[in-house]
């Protein structure tokens, strides 16, 4: 078995958004959409500290599809467009997606985006990995864990491009992998753990 996953070190993340932009370029994501974004914990405003002086804190949390072991989005998809593949990734079959957005409503992490209009790209051509499918109007999109790259044995682009090595990618089912060893640590944070979705993306804090 294979269970591909990403660990994100919150001590190393500075909120530079390199991961978000690398993801956008690699996966031909249209203008006005992001598969990967960075939020500031406790604030609706990016890079805003919380607390009262001198006790201030600022925590950046990169967030994208959590590639859950028990994905809520898959349970509600009426056509089977959302599925879990043999590498543990949650993926979307764009040919089966009817744009009902049930998966978007079910996802507790708010990490899916919808093509309301014909995709617009600047510059006015497709970019990124040549193997990434071009998505039409009327379908859901989200992080695929850079399926095309990881199928070739490469790391996701967000991992490759992070300037502070805040991301670790690997197979959770391999007990000797770095990510498996990190997952066994006590300082691991799981987003909305009580939802029972069992995310395969986790945070080191």
């Amino acid at each position: 078995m294979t269970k591909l996953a990403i660990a994100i070190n919150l001590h190393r993340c500075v909120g530079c958004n390199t991961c978000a932009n690398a993801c956008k370029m690699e996966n031909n994501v249209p203008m006005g959409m992001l598969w990967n974004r960075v939020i500031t914990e406790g604030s609706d405003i990016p890079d805003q500290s919380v607390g009262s002086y001198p006790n201030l804190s600022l925590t950046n949390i990169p967030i994208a599809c959590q590639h859950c072991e028990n994905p809520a989005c898959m349970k509600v998809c009426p056509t089977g467009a959302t599925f879990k593949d043999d590498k543990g990734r949650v993926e979307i079959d764009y040919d089966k997606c009817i744009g009902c957005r049930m998966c978007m409503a079910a996802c507790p992490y708010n990490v899916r985006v919808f093509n309301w209009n014909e995709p617009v790209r600047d510059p006015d051509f497709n970019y990124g990995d040549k193997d990434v499918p071009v998505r039409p109007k009327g379908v859901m999109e989200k992080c695929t864990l850079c399926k095309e790259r990881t199928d070739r044995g490469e790391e996701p682009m967000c991992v490759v491009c992070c300037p502070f090595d805040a991301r670790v990618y690997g197979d959770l089912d391999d007990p000797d992998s770095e990510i498996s060893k990190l997952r066994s640590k006590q300082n691991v944070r799981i987003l909305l753990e009580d939802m029972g979705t069992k995310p395969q993306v986790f945070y080191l804090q």
Side-chain angles (χ1 to χ4, degrees):
M1 295 292 291
T2 302
K3 192 186 293 182
L4 298 180
I6 289 180
I8 302 173
N9 190 325
L10 297 180
H11 293 294
R12 287 181 172 268
C13 178
V14 298
C16 66
N17 284 281
T18 300
C19 55
N21 287 301
C23 167
K24 189 178 185 75
M25 295 305 298
E26 172 68 14
N27 292 289
N28 197 27
V29 179
M31 298 300 104
M33 296 170 64
L34 288 172
W35 288 4
N36 193 337
R37 67 188 195 278
V38 181
I39 62 174
T40 302
E41 187 167 35
S43 175
D44 294 329
I45 302 171
D47 298 324
Q48 176 172 306
S49 300
V50 295
S52 301
Y53 179 82
N55 300 309
L56 296 169
S57 66
L58 193 158
T59 302
N60 296 297
I61 303 181
I63 187 166
C65 177
Q66 302 288 290
H67 293 279
C68 302
E69 186 176 336
N70 181 32
C73 56
M74 188 174 74
K75 293 179 180 178
V76 300
C77 179
T79 65
T82 294
F83 66 98
K84 206 157 167 62
D85 70 10
D86 59 357
K87 292 189 169 91
R89 300 168 299 200
V90 176
E91 302 291 355
I92 300 173
D93 184 332
Y94 304 113
D95 292 330
K96 291 183 178 180
C97 179
I98 58 174
C100 67
R101 304 186 303 283
M102 291 291 289
C103 58
M104 179 183 261
C107 174
Y109 304 102
N110 188 28
V111 290
R112 288 182 173 233
V113 288
F114 184 67
N115 270 321
W116 290 99
N117 304 299
E118 289 297 334
V120 174
R121 293 177 174 86
D122 187 11
D124 189 22
F125 52 78
N126 292 320
Y127 40 78
D129 194 305
K130 65 179 178 59
D131 295 327
V132 172
V134 179
R135 288 80 59 192
K137 173 183 175 181
V139 300
M140 295 302 310
E141 296 192 14
K142 67 170 196 66
C143 161
T144 65
L145 212 60
C146 279
K147 180 183 186 304
E148 292 70 29
R149 290 181 59 84
T150 49
D151 277 350
R152 297 192 297 258
E154 302 168 359
E155 293 184 325
M157 191 56 77
C158 62
V159 176
V160 173
C161 290
C162 178
F164 299 101
D165 294 327
R167 291 171 174 257
V168 175
Y169 161 80
D171 181 5
L172 283 174
D173 275 351
D174 177 2
D176 296 323
S177 67
E178 181 182 3
I179 198 166
S180 286
K181 293 172 182 176
L182 290 171
R183 184 65 178 83
S184 65
K185 291 188 173 182
Q186 298 302 308
N187 61 343
V188 166
R189 177 177 178 181
I190 307 294
L191 294 185
L192 302 179
E193 188 170 11
D194 59 338
M195 298 295 293
T197 51
K198 300 181 180 178
Q200 289 165 209
V201 176
F202 60 94
Y203 300 82
L204 307 175
Q205 56 183 2

